[in-house]
Amino acid sequence: MPHTISRRSFIEATGALAATLTTTASATSPVQSTAAQLKGQPLPGGVRLPATPPRRKRDDSVGIAIIGLGGYALNQIMPRIDHAERMHIAALVSGNPAKLAQVGDAYGVPTDARYSYADFDRIVADDRIQAVYVILPTAFHADFTIRAFAAGKHVLCEKPMALSSTECEAMIAAGRRANRKLMIAYRCHFEPYNVEAMRLMREKAVGTIRLIRTDQSYRAGPTTPAQNWRFNRALAGGGPLEDYGIYGLQSALYLSGEMPESISAATFQPKGDPRFAEIFAHVATQLTFPSGAVAQLATSYDAAGANLAQVRGTDGTLIIDPATGYAGHRMRIEGRDARDFTPGDPTTQFAAQLNHFANAIRDDTPILTGGEMGLRDIRLIEAIYASAREGRTVKLAPDGRMRG
Ligand code: NDP
């Protein structure tokens, strides 16, 4: 049984730590829920498979195994690997054998490089694979990352890094032991609008930063925790904050250039709505930075669509709206030096992220969005939930750990 293997390897990798995981997860989440189970899914709607398999572009290209053939892998990442100069798909891992065969044929992945979750650990003997990309529900990020490191592979892991800071620490430790790279797939760090916004804020284009607002919301259709993993606590954690609000949290940190020293937050879980039987509908957070700047972050699965990042300084306001999507960004500064910005094509963020990871592996260059950044964010998310649960302001150490 796949999950028995993964659980065992996780416990071996983390020792006694694993025993604390259930407690940590439930302490930050609204209700108890059943254990996470790996389960292959049908081919998502709207997937366009390549008519001819993509070709490897360079001799030193990094062979990557895609773990989880879901919507994000098939619609966004796998087609973009062809745009990344130094990466190619070397293997696939899936719990749905028919989909694995269909996708494997379309992408030209050899039949002996198609793995199930149960036989994933055999990748240790597969020299075609240098790295894996974990694109599974959050509950499985730590397990597959640690198993990939045990097999001697580098790891690119989707956001959020894991369900708890304890899991994140175990992932980082496993990467260090294996002497392999760990990158969290925070694609906005490679997207031209957000990169330009970071530069503008460093150069004080709106003066001294005073107020930041981020809003990441959409209204989810009818669903239940059994139908959709994003609404299942055991698979996703507390809900919109980990999934979508994490973009606003990230923006507040990389636009301010600061770590918050305190957090206060509120959560809302409506009664009688099957969508929110296990997770929160929305989370509202206030971060206070050492400079005195304040960020207000809102995220919801039950409010009209929004994807905004706004920084109000002493001399003007930077507005990115939409801020963190796959495409369609708009950015302007209002105030003393008003102007619009079109710094580049946002869709290049995918290939840029993949090449950054490949270059780090081949040239041993540092990773911009490493495990420590993922851990930092999960610590902040834990502090947000602690604040909301306990109805108090939580003070933070510079690494995001809660004080007291
Ligand atoms: P999907 O639900 O579309 O796909 C998840 C895949 O995981 C499934 O198709 C399945 O693959 C596998 N899986 C294994 N066990 C389960 C289970 N119990 N329930 C559901 N799926 C399971 O999710 P997404 O592709 O949208 O998200 C996957 C990851 O990517 C998440 O970490 C998410 O946060 C991240 N993501 C990141 C985005 C970004 O912009 N950076 C955008 C969207 C998602 P199979 O059938 O092959 O076994």
Side-chain angles (χ1 to χ4, degrees):
M1 182 183 151
H3 205 63
T4 312
I5 297 166
S6 62
R7 203 67 203 159
R8 188 185 60 223
S9 66
F10 184 73
I11 289 165
E12 278 167 7
T14 59
L17 223 51
T20 66
L21 292 180
T22 324
T23 324
T24 312
S26 62
T28 58
S29 307
V31 293
Q32 295 291 338
S33 164
T34 49
Q37 293 286 337
L38 285 159
K39 207 165 135 208
Q41 304 292 316
L43 188 76
V47 170
R48 288 220 309 265
L49 294 172
T52 49
R55 291 191 167 276
R56 181 177 178 156
K57 295 157 292 274
R58 282 168 58 150
D59 287 344
D60 66 353
S61 172
V62 169
I64 196 153
I66 304 293
I67 312 180
L69 304 180
Y72 190 58
L74 286 165
N75 288 319
Q76 305 303 330
I77 294 302
M78 291 175 61
R80 262 63 173 258
I81 289 180
D82 200 27
H83 305 172
E85 193 54 28
R86 224 176 178 183
M87 184 172 284
H88 64 278
I89 298 172
L92 301 175
V93 186
S94 171
N96 177 336
K99 181 173 66 175
L100 183 60
Q102 187 184 357
V103 174
D105 288 349
Y107 277 91
V109 176
T111 50
D112 66 347
R114 302 176 191 174
Y115 294 85
S116 68
Y117 298 124
D119 66 10
F120 169 74
D121 301 287
R122 284 201 298 107
I123 66 165
V124 67
D126 193 334
D127 292 338
R128 295 167 295 188
I129 304 169
Q130 284 83 53
V132 307
Y133 191 169
V134 183
I135 322 186
L136 293 165
T138 316
F140 308 115
H141 289 187
D143 197 1
F144 276 86
T145 295
I146 289 166
R147 288 164 68 183
F149 283 139
K153 312 301 179 187
H154 303 275
V155 177
L156 176 57
C157 178
E158 261 311 322
K159 45 56 60 177
M161 182 169 170
L163 286 180
S164 71
S165 56
T166 314
E167 286 186 331
C168 297
E169 284 161 2
M171 293 159 80
I172 292 168
R176 290 214 179 106
R177 268 197 308 276
N179 193 24
R180 291 293 179 268
K181 305 276 185 191
L182 172 57
M183 175 165 169
I184 308 305
Y186 283 136
R187 57 180 168 70
C188 295
H189 290 257
F190 307 93
E191 186 284 307
Y193 283 75
N194 280 278
V195 170
E196 176 66 359
M198 292 176 210
R199 191 189 67 78
L200 288 166
M201 294 304 93
R202 278 196 304 272
E203 293 188 352
K204 301 208 173 303
V206 295
T208 304
I209 294 172
R210 296 297 194 211
L211 302 170
I212 296 175
R213 233 186 84 202
T214 68
D215 195 346
Q216 276 68 40
S217 304
Y218 71 91
R219 186 130 202 269
T223 193
T224 66
Q227 291 165 341
N228 185 336
W229 71 264
R230 285 185 162 79
F231 293 78
N232 181 310
R233 187 196 66 78
L235 292 167
L241 176 61
E242 286 91 332
D243 187 38
Y244 200 9
I246 195 166
Y247 290 96
L249 176 63
Q250 274 260 315
S251 307
L253 303 192
Y254 60 65
L255 294 175
S256 69
E258 293 191 86
M259 269 294 283
E261 57 183 12
S262 69
I263 284 183
S264 56
T267 54
F268 176 60
Q269 189 181 15
K271 296 216 184 317
D273 186 331
R275 295 174 300 169
F276 306 114
E278 297 191 0
I279 62 158
F280 299 114
H282 66 242
V283 182
T285 302
Q286 181 160 300
L287 309 177
T288 308
F289 295 103
S291 66
V294 171
Q296 290 177 314
L297 325 176
T299 185
S300 177
Y301 276 160
D302 199 29
N307 183 5
L308 167 79
Q310 180 182 296
V311 184
R312 193 172 290 276
T314 48
D315 300 331
T317 304
L318 172 83
I319 299 162
I320 325 177
D321 184 10
T324 67
Y326 303 150
H329 297 56
R330 290 161 74 96
M331 184 162 88
R332 66 185 192 277
I333 284 181
E334 292 178 350
R336 197 180 62 183
D337 188 15
R339 58 209 149 120
D340 290 333
F341 297 86
T342 51
D345 175 3
T347 64
T348 58
Q349 62 186 307
F350 300 96
Q353 167 181 271
L354 296 166
N355 273 331
H356 181 78
F357 182 53
N359 292 341
I361 292 168
R362 291 300 186 207
D363 305 335
D364 197 22
T365 47
I367 285 181
L368 205 54
T369 59
E372 296 292 345
M373 182 182 278
L375 166 62
R376 173 202 74 185
D377 295 348
I378 299 301
R379 282 185 179 145
L380 294 177
I381 286 171
E382 288 174 346
I384 288 168
Y385 287 137
S387 167
R389 192 176 55 242
E390 294 162 23
R392 67 177 176 98
T393 298
V394 169
K395 302 268 184 220
L396 299 169
D399 64 1
R401 277 179 221 264
M402 287 181 263
R403 285 189 205 272

